[in-house]
Amino acid sequence: MNEFVAYPSRWRIALLTMLSLGFVVLGLGMVGAFGAPWVSPRRSLVVGMTVGWICITFFGAGAVVIARTFFETGPLLRIGSQGVCWKRWSDEIVPWSDITDVTIWQHRGQKCLILHLRDPARFPGRGLMGWAGKANHALTGGDIGITLTGTNRSIKEAMAAVEYYRR
């Protein structure tokens, strides 16, 4: 088997960016940027505006982060005989000898590959992924969560590569 490599998918990244921007527009409408605030008669104006600002902030930041990956051309994930390298986490390869288990975590149809490490402190994450690492561990029970959203490959293909190389 050849080394598994996942690259950014421009059309998927563009779709995710547009979806995020749609939620930003929705949030702007809820805070009254286009006239009267778009609020439900079932909720108070304060609740509607609070939700609107949360949408603007969260999805606006998400759109920026996602759009930045549109210009990436190199591989985001490599799974091979040496181990796993996920560029969103670190530039370092995590060798198979340091990976105790690889599982799939799923929530509402979104699947992630989860690496369970012998010594997670040896492989610290960088940026937003590193910052969210503890929350990810509490949620999934693993140490490194790998999503293939926005790439040209699937979790099923990645797991097949993991099973091949972990023998």
Side-chain angles (χ1 to χ4, degrees):
M1 173 181 235
N2 292 334
E3 184 177 62
F4 173 90
V5 182
Y7 291 92
S9 169
R10 289 185 191 258
W11 75 268
R12 288 180 181 173
I13 293 168
L15 183 65
L16 289 168
T17 302
M18 295 304 293
L19 186 63
S20 292
L21 291 175
F23 277 103
V24 170
V25 169
L26 181 66
L28 288 169
M30 293 174 80
V31 299
F34 308 116
W38 304 342
V39 293
S40 168
R42 292 180 278 169
R43 292 185 179 70
S44 73
L45 180 63
V46 172
V47 170
M49 292 188 85
T50 301
V51 170
W53 281 111
I54 291 170
C55 282
I56 293 166
T57 305
F58 180 77
F59 289 105
V64 170
V65 169
I66 293 167
R68 280 184 30 211
T69 64
F70 188 82
F71 301 103
E72 291 181 13
T73 56
L76 293 176
L77 175 65
R78 286 186 178 278
I79 301 172
S81 58
Q82 293 181 340
V84 178
C85 181
W86 189 42
K87 293 292 185 176
R88 291 182 179 161
W89 182 262
S90 165
D91 289 329
E92 192 173 348
I93 295 173
V94 180
W96 292 116
S97 59
D98 287 309
I99 299 173
T100 59
D101 196 13
V102 180
T103 58
I104 294 177
W105 180 80
Q106 181 175 343
H107 181 68
R108 295 187 181 193
Q110 177 68 33
K111 293 181 180 180
C112 294
L113 206 62
I114 306 297
L115 302 182
H116 303 262
L117 305 178
R118 236 178 265 297
D119 184 9
R122 285 191 53 217
F123 303 98
R126 66 170 176 231
L128 183 61
M129 290 294 168
W131 179 77
K134 288 184 182 176
N136 181 56
H137 181 76
L139 187 63
T140 66
D143 301 301
I144 300 175
I146 301 171
T147 179
L148 290 170
T149 302
T151 72
N152 65 337
R153 303 296 294 268
S154 72
I155 288 288
K156 187 176 181 178
E157 293 171 308
M159 198 60 181
V162 165
E163 290 169 358
Y164 179 82
Y165 285 111
R166 281 197 77 204
R167 290 186 213 169

